[in-house]
């Protein structure tokens, strides 16, 4: 067994439902085969288990590994293409890059860059938009399994409107997806997700084939985009006969389920929120992407009031990086900018959105998301460089809540010193 020492912060009780930050300074977690078996103070657990190996993560903060509920594997090289709204950005920037992943060598390099981006940011669990090419997705699963990341991903499919080299057909989408799922679903920490890009680029037949695949692969997940940009919403409503809203284009194909996660939902209507809540589907809130593409200010209060589960997504590459510290801060900013319509977020809310809420949205809340006994030890060690403003802020903070606020205000990937999945370090450490 291993005894991890440090200051541990987590949010096992949902702060949106009255829960508060849990913290233990000079704490210890006893981990056996990846699972937390005891938690307590360093003093108590050290004297009860004097012979166990010690890993000292004192100084800085230890947080549950981040859960990124929306991020695109093929887009790591084009982060930072600023100045365009969604549909122009897709045409001129994202989709030309996605087409390059037809080349498997290129896709392999991008897979390594992508996974390194995720893990070095402290992300240990992710719902990942794969590529439009099965060989590229196969490589991504291979590398993720080698690293040990908890990844849910799959083939991205479309059969209209996009550039022709990204299109497939409903039966091919089903066959390719099933082959990938048979190879990777449940292998290591990989799970399969069915991923139509967005209903704008998918015919009714393709969405039917997605539902059939979802039924065929037990325990698979579903993800897509929704209500991101007003021009996109108007186009979807034109394309689908007798659809009152964007969600209906998925719902009439049986794609709004408790295993479904929809990214963005900036322009949600009350009727859509009701259905999302009824079905137990999740929403990935992607604040830097919504800002960079000018998509809009996310109606978090309305989601919470309707009982829709929300977690954070980086949405790389429309989002401006892999760090969920940055996403948390941007989420906070945007709620402040909404004034009375906004939901003022505490550091505990931000940590919850970046960890336990993501685990719940992905159906992994029994395994990860906080440091309770019985959970896996997935963690990031935030240890800022000595003398940096973040280091000074954390050391002089008046309690853990204040320290956590500073982590979200100033923390970056460079401050993440070590990352653990199931008790094992992943990626490079310092
Ligand atoms: N809608 C369809 N495809 C995409 C994408 O790649 N990024 C974002 N942000 N929205 C999308
Ligand atoms: Zn996206």
């Amino acid at each position: 067994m291993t005894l991890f020492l440090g200051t541990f912060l987590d949010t096992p009780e949902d702060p949106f439902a009255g829960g508060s930050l849990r913290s233990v300074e000079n704490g210890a977690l006893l981990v056996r085969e990846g699972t937390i078996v005891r938690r307590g103070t360093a003093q108590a657990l050290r004297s009860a288990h004097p012979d166990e190996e010690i890993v000292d993560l004192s100084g800085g903060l230890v947080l549950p590994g981040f859960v990124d509920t929306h991020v695109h594997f093929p887009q790591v090289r084009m982060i930072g293409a600023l100045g365009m709204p969604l549909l122009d950005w897709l045409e001129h920037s994202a989709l030309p890059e996605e087409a390059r992943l037809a080349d498997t060598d290129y896709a392999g390099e991008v897979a390594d860059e992508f996974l390194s981006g995720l893990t070095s940011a402290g992300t240990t669990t992710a719902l990942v938009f794969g590529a439009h090419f099965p060989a590229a997705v196969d490589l991504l699963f291979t590398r993720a399994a080698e690293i040990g990341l908890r990844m849910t991903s799959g083939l991205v499919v479309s059969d209209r409107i996009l550039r022709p080299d990204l299109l497939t057909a409903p039966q091919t989408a089903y066959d390719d997806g099933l082959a990938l799922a048979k190879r990777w679903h449940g292998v290591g920490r990989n799970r399969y997700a069915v991923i139509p890009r967005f209903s704008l680029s998918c015919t009714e037949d393709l969405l039917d084939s997605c539902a059939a695949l979802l039924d065929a692969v037990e325990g698979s997940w579903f993800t897509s985009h929704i209500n991101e940009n007003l021009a996109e919403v108007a186009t979807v409503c034109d394309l689908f006969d007798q659809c009152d809203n964007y969600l209906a284009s998925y719902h009439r194909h049986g794609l709004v389920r408790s295993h479904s996660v929809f990214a963005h939902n900036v322009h949600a209507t009350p009727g859509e929120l009701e259905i999302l809540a009824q079905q137990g589907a999740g929403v990935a809130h992607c604040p830097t992407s919504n800002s960079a593409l000018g998509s809009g200010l996310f109606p978090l209060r309305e989601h919470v009031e309707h009982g829709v589960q929300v977690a954070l997504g980086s949405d790389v590459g429309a989002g401006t990086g892999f760090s969920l510290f940055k996403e948390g801060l941007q989420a906070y900013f945007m709620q402040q900018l909404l004034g009375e319509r906004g939901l003022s977020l505490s550091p505990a809310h931000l940590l919850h959105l970046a960890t336990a809420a993501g685990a719940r949205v992905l159906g992994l809340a029994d395994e990860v998301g906080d440091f309770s006994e019985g959970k896996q030890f997935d963690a990031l060690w935030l240890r800022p460089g000595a003398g940096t403003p973040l280091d000074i802020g954390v050391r002089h903070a008046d309690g853990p809540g204040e320290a956590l606020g500073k982590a979200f205000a100033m923390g970056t990937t460079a401050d993440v010193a070590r990352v653990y999945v199931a008790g094992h370090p992943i990626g490079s450490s310092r």
Side-chain angles (χ1 to χ4, degrees), residues 120 380-384 413-419 428-430:
S120 56
L380 69 93
W381 184 24
L382 181 84
R383 187 189 52 173
T413 290
D415 301 303
V416 175
R418 232 178 273 172
V419 182
S428 51
S429 57
R430 70 168 170 81

Side-chain angles (χ1 to χ4, degrees), residues 70 72 75 86-87 89-90 94-95 98 129 162 197-198 201 225-226 228 232 246 264 289-290 293 295 315-319:
H70 185 71
H72 294 253
Q75 296 179 7
L86 173 67
L87 298 177
W89 174 87
L90 278 171
L95 299 185
E98 297 230 358
F129 251 68
L162 305 188
R197 185 162 204 115
F198 54 165
S201 67
H225 294 95
I226 196 167
E228 180 174 4
E232 171 213 20
Y246 202 144
H264 300 288
S289 167
N290 293 344
L293 299 179
S295 302
D315 197 24
V316 156

Side-chain angles (χ1 to χ4, degrees), residues 220-234:
S220 60
W221 286 73
F222 176 82
T223 189
S224 195
H225 294 95
I226 196 167
N227 286 324
E228 180 174 4
N229 165 289
L230 289 173
E232 171 213 20
V233 177

Side-chain angles (χ1 to χ4, degrees), residues 402-414:
E402 205 177 288
L404 188 62
K406 290 168 192 299
F408 276 99
M410 290 182 272
T412 68
T413 290

